[in-house]
Amino acid sequence: MKPTPKTFHVKSFGCQMNVYDGERMGELMAAQGLTATDDANAADLVVLNTCHIREKATEKVYSDIGRLRKHGRTPMIAVAGCVAQAEGAEIVRRAKVDVVVGPQSYHNLPDLVGKAVRGESALDTDMPAISKFGALPSRRKVSPSAFLTVQEGCDKFCTYCVVPYTRGAEVSRPFDAIVDEAKALVDAGARELTLLGQNVNAWDDAEGRGLHGLIAALDGIEGLARIRYTTSHPNDMREGLIRAHAEVGKLMPYLHLPVQSGSDRILKAMNRSHSRDSYLRLLDRVRAARPDIALSGDFIVGFPGETEADFEDTLTLIAQVGYAQAYSFKYSPRPGTPAAEMTDGFVPAEVMDERLQRLQAAIARDQAAFNAATAGRSCDVLIERTGKLPGQMLGKSPWLQSVHLITDAQVGDMVEVEIVRADPNSLAGIERIRAAA
Ligand code: SAH
Ligand code: SF4
Ligand code: F3S
């Protein structure tokens, strides 16, 4: 038995889909009359919305639980997200938490909290046939740049990845539900929407409208200024979506298209089902449609069997593409995945470290060059928050670069800015024209 919680705190780890889920769990608990608090150490209920993608991410959960219980504090702890899905009852055994809830059943969080209050077992990692979205309260106040999950799950089964197991099969949310939520988000203050999915460009409906059809519908929403989407898989990049980058005014010139490796041998072992060449040809088509597009990617170094020659193939691919930004990770074997059984060609930790450093240096070089090319240009900046200096505001360029400027513009304003200085990780601008909010 535990007292009924009055305050709560949600802490999200991992990808943007978890951030979105965390916001929706927060709205759900607020609708139950609980008050949100920024201080996890003061909350009666702490929801840890977890990520299972790499071992380090998973271990963070257990250290966080330990920290929350320091000094004999006993808040109610709910573990949500992908670790909850993957480990289920094991978490209750190992860490004695009160609630475990998976990413497809978090609409049941209030019921589960009620069970925990009554001292009953509170675990739900079902993947119900009926979507959770219908059972969630409507959107209220959001930031100018808001997330909107349109697709969940993955059928790709890359050999290193847990997502198909933690998030389940690929499912697209219905067209109308998405358009309605997009309008509600715009009414609640969003000016930019980022459509989310583990394979967002696989989004489709019975009419075969595809993600580009959905984007075209969102383009018509008054008050919405920008549309983005992430994460895409190379094999789901259809012609219509590429064309949307040339034709849809609100679609931003940015594409996150993970490749993981530049070596065909490794891509095959990863079950990526695209080759180095097919990926590069795809990017040629994207660039033909939108020449100024900023490209981003994900890379894994040290996959089992990766030789120095394989890794150099990744470096030459990076040099060929010229990424504006990228994320890179050391391979982490995950329980239950086929790659975890691949014991041949194990890459030692120091080799992984060294490869990661070289890869990140290559990306940093290209990112600095991409940013430098923006200097002297003018572009729209969506103001997202205040900066550290007096009068300083921070926002994003169309190419997702961070821009800082001194202005009396407010959060949510769109400002035309001249970029006067490019640093490796951000741009400095001066205001030219303010568009009406
Ligand atoms: N759906 C996206 C990515 C989802 S996971 C895609 O297909 O690209 C985000 C990134 O985490 C992946 O792109 C990959 O680079 C990385 N990742 C996934 N599993 C990993 C593992 N076992 N070890 C290291 N990095 C991993
Ligand atoms: Fe994981 Fe591959 Fe699916 Fe991306 S496409 S979520 S890396 S299995
Ligand atoms: Fe992590 Fe789950 Fe996202 S494993 S990356 S939180 S889909």
Side-chain angles (χ1 to χ4, degrees):
M1 294 277 288
K2 288 240 159 134
T4 302
K6 293 190 178 60
T7 58
F8 74 95
H9 176 85
V10 182
K11 183 169 176 190
S12 290
F13 307 82
C15 63
Q16 287 134 320
M17 308 211 38
N18 254 19
V19 175
Y20 173 87
D21 291 341
E23 285 173 8
R24 305 239 42 192
M25 282 189 264
E27 290 163 352
L28 191 58
M29 297 320 289
Q32 300 292 313
L34 278 78
T35 307
T37 162
D38 288 338
D39 181 4
N41 290 314
D44 302 334
L45 165 69
V46 180
V47 181
L48 299 174
N49 188 23
T50 61
C51 174
H52 194 55
I53 202 84
R54 284 166 290 273
E55 190 180 355
K56 252 197 201 145
T58 303
E59 285 309 311
K60 232 183 242 167
V61 183
Y62 291 102
S63 54
D64 254 53
I65 293 171
R67 215 168 305 132
L68 285 168
R69 293 218 174 104
K70 236 170 44 191
H71 313 306
R73 241 190 111 234
T74 54
M76 183 180 283
I77 297 177
V79 178
C82 290
V83 177
Q85 192 65 41
E87 297 191 355
E90 179 59 29
I91 309 172
V92 182
R93 265 193 298 276
R94 185 169 159 191
K96 310 246 170 331
V97 298
D98 306 279
V99 174
V100 175
V101 64
Q104 303 307 352
S105 45
Y106 65 73
H107 54 296
N108 293 330
L109 186 59
D111 282 352
L112 293 163
V113 168
K115 280 187 176 174
V117 167
R118 296 192 297 275
E120 296 166 18
S121 148
L123 177 126
D124 186 348
T125 53
D126 288 349
M127 295 208 182
I130 297 172
S131 144
K132 62 188 173 251
F133 292 106
L136 297 172
S138 58
R139 311 303 312 262
R140 292 184 308 173
K141 186 142 176 50
V142 294
S143 56
S145 178
F147 291 143
L148 170 49
T149 292
V150 303
Q151 181 278 337
E152 289 196 280
C154 181
D155 296 339
K156 305 287 190 289
F157 290 94
C158 300
T159 53
Y160 50 81
C161 184
V162 294
V163 171
Y165 312 98
T166 61
R167 292 276 172 164
E170 276 178 18
V171 179
S172 294
R173 286 182 70 190
F175 187 94
D176 291 342
I178 297 167
V179 174
D180 286 350
E181 188 173 330
K183 286 181 181 156
L185 285 166
V186 171
D187 288 344
R191 300 210 66 198
E192 170 178 284
L193 292 180
T194 301
L195 311 181
L196 299 180
Q198 270 91 17
N199 283 293
V200 72
N201 58 340
W203 185 90
D204 213 350
D205 64 1
E207 282 103 288
R209 283 181 271 199
L211 188 64
H212 54 286
L214 182 61
I215 288 172
L218 301 181
D219 191 53
I221 297 179
E222 208 180 317
L224 179 64
R226 292 174 160 189
I227 304 168
R228 303 181 184 277
Y229 60 95
T230 198
T231 295
S232 296
H233 192 283
N235 286 9
D236 291 319
M237 205 68 207
R238 287 156 58 178
E239 180 58 29
L241 185 55
I242 296 177
R243 225 171 330 117
H245 276 285
E247 294 168 0
V248 180
K250 292 179 186 174
L251 184 57
M252 290 294 103
Y254 186 95
L255 175 63
H256 181 66
L257 198 66
V259 63
Q260 316 298 353
S261 168
S263 154
D264 279 336
R265 219 174 58 79
I266 296 299
L267 288 172
K268 193 150 187 274
M270 287 175 162
N271 190 32
R272 283 293 292 180
S273 63
H274 59 77
S275 66
R276 171 196 178 96
D277 191 50
S278 68
Y279 178 81
L280 289 171
R281 277 186 286 122
L282 179 57
L283 291 189
D284 286 344
R285 285 166 55 213
V286 172
R287 276 197 164 128
R290 183 77 206 222
D292 70 334
I293 200 158
L295 295 169
S296 156
D298 288 349
F299 294 90
I300 295 176
V301 301
F303 187 81
E306 186 188 73
T307 62
E308 176 62 22
D310 292 317
F311 176 66
E312 279 167 18
D313 285 345
T314 303
L315 293 182
T316 60
L317 178 132
I318 289 170
Q320 228 169 309
V321 172
Y323 288 95
Q325 200 203 321
Y327 303 90
S328 47
F329 313 98
K330 287 188 272 184
Y331 168 70
S332 170
R334 307 305 293 128
T337 61
E341 311 294 314
M342 298 177 188
T343 44
D344 285 350
F346 172 79
V347 180
E350 55 286 6
V351 176
M352 278 205 214
D353 286 337
E354 188 259 348
R355 286 184 189 162
L356 188 68
Q357 269 181 29
R358 281 158 71 198
L359 189 144
Q360 289 181 339
I363 298 289
R365 174 201 65 207
D366 291 350
Q367 181 173 343
F370 186 89
N371 285 348
T374 332
R377 288 176 70 168
S378 290
C379 64
D380 286 341
V381 170
L382 176 61
I383 304 292
E384 293 181 16
R385 54 198 173 89
T386 52
K388 283 196 196 111
L389 303 176
Q392 190 186 48
M393 301 299 275
L394 306 179
K396 294 273 164 56
S397 78
W399 306 279
L400 209 62
Q401 297 145 299
S402 295
V403 182
H404 53 90
L405 65 154
I406 303 294
T407 174
D408 57 6
Q410 300 299 304
V411 170
D413 284 343
M414 189 74 80
V415 180
E416 191 182 322
V417 168
E418 185 182 328
I419 305 301
V420 291
R421 202 181 70 235
D423 295 322
N425 296 313
S426 67
L427 305 174
I430 51 172
E431 180 174 356
R432 288 164 49 101
I433 304 165
R434 173 108 36 97

